[in-house]
Structure formats: structure tokens, C-alpha cells
PDB file of all heavy atoms in Angstrom:
ATOM      1  N   SER A   1       0.710  -1.163  -0.045  1.00 66.00           N
ATOM      2  CA  SER A   1       0.025  -0.043  -0.072  1.00 66.00           C
ATOM      3  C   SER A   1       0.788   1.206  -0.022  1.00 66.00           C
ATOM      4  O   SER A   1       1.893   1.340   0.733  1.00 66.00           O
ATOM      5  CB  SER A   1      -0.877   0.007   1.267  1.00 66.00           C
ATOM      6  OG  SER A   1      -1.552   1.246   1.357  1.00 66.00           O
ATOM      7  N   LYS A   2       0.537   2.240  -0.719  1.00 60.00           N
ATOM      8  CA  LYS A   2       1.317   3.489  -0.860  1.00 60.00           C
ATOM      9  C   LYS A   2       1.126   4.321   0.416  1.00 60.00           C
ATOM     10  O   LYS A   2       1.948   5.189   0.696  1.00 60.00           O
ATOM     11  CB  LYS A   2       0.928   4.247  -2.161  1.00 60.00           C
ATOM     12  CG  LYS A   2       1.378   3.547  -3.461  1.00 60.00           C
ATOM     13  CD  LYS A   2       2.787   3.411  -3.559  1.00 60.00           C
ATOM     14  CE  LYS A   2       3.140   2.856  -4.933  1.00 60.00           C
ATOM     15  NZ  LYS A   2       3.412   1.429  -4.981  1.00 60.00           N
ATOM     16  N   GLY A   3       0.100   4.049   1.062  1.00 73.00           N
ATOM     17  CA  GLY A   3      -0.233   4.796   2.337  1.00 73.00           C
ATOM     18  C   GLY A   3      -0.610   6.225   1.982  1.00 73.00           C
ATOM     19  O   GLY A   3      -1.253   6.548   0.970  1.00 73.00           O
ATOM     20  N   THR A   4      -0.243   7.166   2.729  1.00 81.00           N
ATOM     21  CA  THR A   4      -0.618   8.595   2.739  1.00 81.00           C
ATOM     22  C   THR A   4       0.679   9.347   2.598  1.00 81.00           C
ATOM     23  O   THR A   4       1.774   8.921   3.045  1.00 81.00           O
ATOM     24  CB  THR A   4      -1.403   8.952   3.879  1.00 81.00           C
ATOM     25  OG1 THR A   4      -0.731   8.944   5.126  1.00 81.00           O
ATOM     26  CG2 THR A   4      -2.790   8.253   4.081  1.00 81.00           C
ATOM     27  N   VAL A   5       0.529  10.643   2.236  1.00 84.00           N
ATOM     28  CA  VAL A   5       1.684  11.473   2.253  1.00 84.00           C
ATOM     29  C   VAL A   5       2.186  11.679   3.782  1.00 84.00           C
ATOM     30  O   VAL A   5       3.429  11.741   3.973  1.00 84.00           O
ATOM     31  CB  VAL A   5       1.355  12.848   1.674  1.00 84.00           C
ATOM     32  CG1 VAL A   5       2.494  13.814   1.822  1.00 84.00           C
ATOM     33  CG2 VAL A   5       1.001  12.742   0.143  1.00 84.00           C
ATOM     34  N   LYS A   6       1.283  11.744   4.562  1.00 85.00           N
ATOM     35  CA  LYS A   6       1.632  11.908   5.995  1.00 85.00           C
ATOM     36  C   LYS A   6       2.605  10.601   6.502  1.00 85.00           C
ATOM     37  O   LYS A   6       3.452  10.836   7.218  1.00 85.00           O
ATOM     38  CB  LYS A   6       0.314  11.934   6.906  1.00 85.00           C
ATOM     39  CG  LYS A   6       0.612  12.089   8.408  1.00 85.00           C
ATOM     40  CD  LYS A   6      -0.695  12.237   9.084  1.00 85.00           C
ATOM     41  CE  LYS A   6      -0.380  12.461  10.634  1.00 85.00           C
ATOM     42  NZ  LYS A   6      -1.608  12.581  11.351  1.00 85.00           N
ATOM     43  N   GLY A   7       2.117   9.413   5.993  1.00 88.00           N
ATOM     44  CA  GLY A   7       2.998   8.277   6.354  1.00 88.00           C
ATOM     45  C   GLY A   7       4.325   8.238   5.599  1.00 88.00           C
ATOM     46  O   GLY A   7       5.275   7.573   5.956  1.00 88.00           O
ATOM     47  N   LEU A   8       4.341   8.958   4.422  1.00 90.00           N
ATOM     48  CA  LEU A   8       5.525   8.942   3.599  1.00 90.00           C
ATOM     49  C   LEU A   8       6.577   9.846   4.289  1.00 90.00           C
ATOM     50  O   LEU A   8       7.829   9.633   4.102  1.00 90.00           O
ATOM     51  CB  LEU A   8       5.175   9.505   2.212  1.00 90.00           C
ATOM     52  CG  LEU A   8       6.299   9.572   1.193  1.00 90.00           C
ATOM     53  CD1 LEU A   8       6.803   8.174   0.813  1.00 90.00           C
ATOM     54  CD2 LEU A   8       5.737  10.169  -0.073  1.00 90.00           C
ATOM     55  N   MET A   9       6.234  10.905   4.855  1.00 92.00           N
ATOM     56  CA  MET A   9       7.091  11.877   5.432  1.00 92.00           C
ATOM     57  C   MET A   9       8.176  11.251   6.393  1.00 92.00           C
ATOM     58  O   MET A   9       9.343  11.477   6.270  1.00 92.00           O
ATOM     59  CB  MET A   9       6.421  12.960   6.180  1.00 92.00           C
ATOM     60  CG  MET A   9       5.715  13.973   5.263  1.00 92.00           C
ATOM     61  SD  MET A   9       4.970  15.382   6.125  1.00 92.00           S
ATOM     62  CE  MET A   9       6.494  16.266   6.605  1.00 92.00           C
ATOM     63  N   PRO A  10       7.763  10.425   7.415  1.00 93.00           N
ATOM     64  CA  PRO A  10       8.787   9.850   8.316  1.00 93.00           C
ATOM     65  C   PRO A  10       9.722   8.865   7.561  1.00 93.00           C
ATOM     66  O   PRO A  10      10.828   8.809   7.878  1.00 93.00           O
ATOM     67  CB  PRO A  10       8.036   9.220   9.411  1.00 93.00           C
ATOM     68  CG  PRO A  10       6.562   9.125   8.996  1.00 93.00           C
ATOM     69  CD  PRO A  10       6.422  10.146   7.837  1.00 93.00           C
ATOM     70  N   LEU A  11       9.200   8.196   6.552  1.00 92.00           N
ATOM     71  CA  LEU A  11      10.075   7.327   5.855  1.00 92.00           C
ATOM     72  C   LEU A  11      11.231   8.045   5.044  1.00 92.00           C
ATOM     73  O   LEU A  11      12.307   7.697   5.014  1.00 92.00           O
ATOM     74  CB  LEU A  11       9.219   6.444   4.869  1.00 92.00           C
ATOM     75  CG  LEU A  11       8.195   5.537   5.481  1.00 92.00           C
ATOM     76  CD1 LEU A  11       7.333   4.823   4.476  1.00 92.00           C
ATOM     77  CD2 LEU A  11       8.846   4.440   6.395  1.00 92.00           C
ATOM     78  N   VAL A  12      10.850   9.148   4.362  1.00 93.00           N
ATOM     79  CA  VAL A  12      11.729   9.948   3.726  1.00 93.00           C
ATOM     80  C   VAL A  12      12.632  10.579   4.643  1.00 93.00           C
ATOM     81  O   VAL A  12      13.890  10.681   4.405  1.00 93.00           O
ATOM     82  CB  VAL A  12      11.008  11.059   2.845  1.00 93.00           C
ATOM     83  CG1 VAL A  12      12.005  12.043   2.301  1.00 93.00           C
ATOM     84  CG2 VAL A  12      10.235  10.353   1.758  1.00 93.00           C
ATOM     85  N   ALA A  13      12.253  11.075   5.795  1.00 94.00           N
ATOM     86  CA  ALA A  13      13.022  11.745   6.804  1.00 94.00           C
ATOM     87  C   ALA A  13      14.114  10.664   7.295  1.00 94.00           C
ATOM     88  O   ALA A  13      15.256  11.132   7.442  1.00 94.00           O
ATOM     89  CB  ALA A  13      12.190  12.292   8.013  1.00 94.00           C
ATOM     90  N   ARG A  14      13.637   9.530   7.549  1.00 94.00           N
ATOM     91  CA  ARG A  14      14.558   8.394   8.056  1.00 94.00           C
ATOM     92  C   ARG A  14      15.662   8.214   6.963  1.00 94.00           C
ATOM     93  O   ARG A  14      16.834   8.031   7.247  1.00 94.00           O
ATOM     94  CB  ARG A  14      13.804   7.159   8.347  1.00 94.00           C
ATOM     95  CG  ARG A  14      14.726   6.200   9.046  1.00 94.00           C
ATOM     96  CD  ARG A  14      14.024   4.972   9.527  1.00 94.00           C
ATOM     97  NE  ARG A  14      12.695   5.239  10.132  1.00 94.00           N
ATOM     98  CZ  ARG A  14      11.558   4.710   9.853  1.00 94.00           C
ATOM     99  NH1 ARG A  14      11.487   3.825   8.905  1.00 94.00           N
ATOM    100  NH2 ARG A  14      10.402   4.993  10.531  1.00 94.00           N
ATOM    101  N   LEU A  15      15.271   8.009   5.661  1.00 94.00           N
ATOM    102  CA  LEU A  15      16.196   7.854   4.575  1.00 94.00           C
ATOM    103  C   LEU A  15      17.248   8.889   4.563  1.00 94.00           C
ATOM    104  O   LEU A  15      18.400   8.633   4.417  1.00 94.00           O
ATOM    105  CB  LEU A  15      15.518   7.692   3.205  1.00 94.00           C
ATOM    106  CG  LEU A  15      16.379   7.545   2.061  1.00 94.00           C
ATOM    107  CD1 LEU A  15      16.313   6.078   1.548  1.00 94.00           C
ATOM    108  CD2 LEU A  15      16.087   8.427   0.993  1.00 94.00           C
ATOM    109  N   LEU A  16      16.777  10.191   4.550  1.00 93.00           N
ATOM    110  CA  LEU A  16      17.675  11.268   4.477  1.00 93.00           C
ATOM    111  C   LEU A  16      18.570  11.300   5.729  1.00 93.00           C
ATOM    112  O   LEU A  16      19.854  11.649   5.575  1.00 93.00           O
ATOM    113  CB  LEU A  16      16.922  12.628   4.446  1.00 93.00           C
ATOM    114  CG  LEU A  16      16.120  12.880   3.130  1.00 93.00           C
ATOM    115  CD1 LEU A  16      15.280  14.116   3.289  1.00 93.00           C
ATOM    116  CD2 LEU A  16      17.076  12.948   1.924  1.00 93.00           C
ATOM    117  N   ASP A  17      18.182  11.053   6.895  1.00 95.00           N
ATOM    118  CA  ASP A  17      18.981  11.003   8.033  1.00 95.00           C
ATOM    119  C   ASP A  17      20.034   9.915   8.040  1.00 95.00           C
ATOM    120  O   ASP A  17      21.116  10.118   8.324  1.00 95.00           O
ATOM    121  CB  ASP A  17      18.173  10.884   9.344  1.00 95.00           C
ATOM    122  CG  ASP A  17      18.956  11.195  10.618  1.00 95.00           C
ATOM    123  OD1 ASP A  17      19.735  12.098  10.671  1.00 95.00           O
ATOM    124  OD2 ASP A  17      18.867  10.377  11.488  1.00 95.00           O
ATOM    125  N   ASP A  18      19.504   8.728   7.629  1.00 94.00           N
ATOM    126  CA  ASP A  18      20.482   7.533   7.521  1.00 94.00           C
ATOM    127  C   ASP A  18      21.539   7.947   6.462  1.00 94.00           C
ATOM    128  O   ASP A  18      22.796   7.595   6.750  1.00 94.00           O
ATOM    129  CB  ASP A  18      19.801   6.304   7.147  1.00 94.00           C
ATOM    130  CG  ASP A  18      18.848   5.740   8.162  1.00 94.00           C
ATOM    131  OD1 ASP A  18      19.016   6.215   9.367  1.00 94.00           O
ATOM    132  OD2 ASP A  18      18.055   4.839   7.906  1.00 94.00           O
ATOM    133  N   ARG A  19      21.162   8.438   5.380  1.00 93.00           N
ATOM    134  CA  ARG A  19      22.217   8.611   4.318  1.00 93.00           C
ATOM    135  C   ARG A  19      23.009   9.860   4.499  1.00 93.00           C
ATOM    136  O   ARG A  19      24.193   9.872   4.145  1.00 93.00           O
ATOM    137  CB  ARG A  19      21.318   8.815   2.916  1.00 93.00           C
ATOM    138  CG  ARG A  19      22.331   8.920   1.732  1.00 93.00           C
ATOM    139  CD  ARG A  19      21.647   8.718   0.546  1.00 93.00           C
ATOM    140  NE  ARG A  19      21.174   7.424   0.337  1.00 93.00           N
ATOM    141  CZ  ARG A  19      20.146   6.950  -0.431  1.00 93.00           C
ATOM    142  NH1 ARG A  19      19.495   7.787  -1.235  1.00 93.00           N
ATOM    143  NH2 ARG A  19      19.750   5.763  -0.422  1.00 93.00           N
ATOM    144  N   TYR A  20      22.509  10.967   5.036  1.00 93.00           N
ATOM    145  CA  TYR A  20      23.223  12.248   5.055  1.00 93.00           C
ATOM    146  C   TYR A  20      23.511  12.681   6.508  1.00 93.00           C
ATOM    147  O   TYR A  20      24.018  13.731   6.653  1.00 93.00           O
ATOM    148  CB  TYR A  20      22.463  13.351   4.288  1.00 93.00           C
ATOM    149  CG  TYR A  20      22.302  12.985   2.843  1.00 93.00           C
ATOM    150  CD1 TYR A  20      21.048  12.543   2.360  1.00 93.00           C
ATOM    151  CD2 TYR A  20      23.346  12.974   1.990  1.00 93.00           C
ATOM    152  CE1 TYR A  20      20.832  12.231   1.020  1.00 93.00           C
ATOM    153  CE2 TYR A  20      23.138  12.703   0.660  1.00 93.00           C
ATOM    154  CZ  TYR A  20      21.986  12.279   0.147  1.00 93.00           C
ATOM    155  OH  TYR A  20      21.815  11.990  -1.088  1.00 93.00           O
ATOM    156  N   LYS A  21      23.072  11.896   7.478  1.00 93.00           N
ATOM    157  CA  LYS A  21      23.508  12.088   8.871  1.00 93.00           C
ATOM    158  C   LYS A  21      23.138  13.596   9.351  1.00 93.00           C
ATOM    159  O   LYS A  21      23.885  14.319   9.987  1.00 93.00           O
ATOM    160  CB  LYS A  21      25.019  11.890   9.150  1.00 93.00           C
ATOM    161  CG  LYS A  21      25.461  10.498   8.711  1.00 93.00           C
ATOM    162  CD  LYS A  21      24.756   9.405   9.542  1.00 93.00           C
ATOM    163  CE  LYS A  21      25.359   8.177   9.023  1.00 93.00           C
ATOM    164  NZ  LYS A  21      24.465   7.046   8.942  1.00 93.00           N
ATOM    165  N   GLY A  22      21.889  14.026   8.883  1.00 86.00           N
ATOM    166  CA  GLY A  22      21.457  15.332   9.396  1.00 86.00           C
ATOM    167  C   GLY A  22      21.912  16.521   8.486  1.00 86.00           C
ATOM    168  O   GLY A  22      21.596  17.563   8.762  1.00 86.00           O
ATOM    169  N   ALA A  23      22.737  16.287   7.473  1.00 94.00           N
ATOM    170  CA  ALA A  23      23.142  17.397   6.595  1.00 94.00           C
ATOM    171  C   ALA A  23      22.095  17.784   5.656  1.00 94.00           C
ATOM    172  O   ALA A  23      22.230  18.918   5.130  1.00 94.00           O
ATOM    173  CB  ALA A  23      24.384  16.869   5.873  1.00 94.00           C
ATOM    174  N   VAL A  24      21.098  16.995   5.418  1.00 90.00           N
ATOM    175  CA  VAL A  24      20.004  17.413   4.449  1.00 90.00           C
ATOM    176  C   VAL A  24      18.799  17.273   5.352  1.00 90.00           C
ATOM    177  O   VAL A  24      18.475  16.198   5.874  1.00 90.00           O
ATOM    178  CB  VAL A  24      19.918  16.321   3.345  1.00 90.00           C
ATOM    179  CG1 VAL A  24      18.760  16.671   2.480  1.00 90.00           C
ATOM    180  CG2 VAL A  24      21.218  16.396   2.441  1.00 90.00           C
ATOM    181  N   GLY A  25      18.133  18.295   5.394  1.00 88.00           N
ATOM    182  CA  GLY A  25      16.835  18.393   6.237  1.00 88.00           C
ATOM    183  C   GLY A  25      15.598  18.225   5.395  1.00 88.00           C
ATOM    184  O   GLY A  25      15.671  18.324   4.206  1.00 88.00           O
ATOM    185  N   MET A  26      14.525  17.929   6.095  1.00 92.00           N
ATOM    186  CA  MET A  26      13.202  17.836   5.500  1.00 92.00           C
ATOM    187  C   MET A  26      12.627  19.257   5.191  1.00 92.00           C
ATOM    188  O   MET A  26      12.838  20.140   6.092  1.00 92.00           O
ATOM    189  CB  MET A  26      12.328  17.119   6.441  1.00 92.00           C
ATOM    190  CG  MET A  26      12.498  15.574   6.374  1.00 92.00           C
ATOM    191  SD  MET A  26      11.957  14.746   4.900  1.00 92.00           S
ATOM    192  CE  MET A  26      10.232  14.965   5.006  1.00 92.00           C
ATOM    193  N   PRO A  27      11.956  19.459   4.165  1.00 91.00           N
ATOM    194  CA  PRO A  27      11.219  20.675   4.061  1.00 91.00           C
ATOM    195  C   PRO A  27      10.053  20.743   5.062  1.00 91.00           C
ATOM    196  O   PRO A  27       9.710  19.693   5.613  1.00 91.00           O
ATOM    197  CB  PRO A  27      10.669  20.667   2.558  1.00 91.00           C
ATOM    198  CG  PRO A  27      10.604  19.227   2.265  1.00 91.00           C
ATOM    199  CD  PRO A  27      11.671  18.547   3.128  1.00 91.00           C
ATOM    200  N   SER A  28       9.364  21.837   5.099  1.00 94.00           N
ATOM    201  CA  SER A  28       8.151  21.956   5.921  1.00 94.00           C
ATOM    202  C   SER A  28       7.169  21.021   5.363  1.00 94.00           C
ATOM    203  O   SER A  28       7.237  20.585   4.246  1.00 94.00           O
ATOM    204  CB  SER A  28       7.685  23.330   5.877  1.00 94.00           C
ATOM    205  OG  SER A  28       7.114  23.617   4.641  1.00 94.00           O
ATOM    206  N   ARG A  29       6.193  20.714   6.184  1.00 93.00           N
ATOM    207  CA  ARG A  29       5.070  19.871   5.778  1.00 93.00           C
ATOM    208  C   ARG A  29       4.317  20.292   4.619  1.00 93.00           C
ATOM    209  O   ARG A  29       4.030  19.580   3.709  1.00 93.00           O
ATOM    210  CB  ARG A  29       4.144  19.543   7.033  1.00 93.00           C
ATOM    211  CG  ARG A  29       3.012  18.690   6.601  1.00 93.00           C
ATOM    212  CD  ARG A  29       2.124  18.236   7.748  1.00 93.00           C
ATOM    213  NE  ARG A  29       1.902  19.376   8.639  1.00 93.00           N
ATOM    214  CZ  ARG A  29       1.390  19.372   9.821  1.00 93.00           C
ATOM    215  NH1 ARG A  29       1.002  18.162  10.209  1.00 93.00           N
ATOM    216  NH2 ARG A  29       1.191  20.426  10.636  1.00 93.00           N
TER     217      ARG A  29
END
């Protein structure tokens, strides 16, 4: 299931944090 955009946000945030160790931040909601 693709879920919702709300559910997608933490997955993308986790990927960015794992890959870039906080150097790349999430945009506003």
C-alpha cells in the first residue's frame, strides 16, 4: 500500500537522516 503523504514523510526523513546524517533536512510539511 502506498499509504498517505503523512505516512511517507517519516520514511523519507529516516532515509535522509540515514544517508546524510542530518546534513540534509526535510522541508516543511
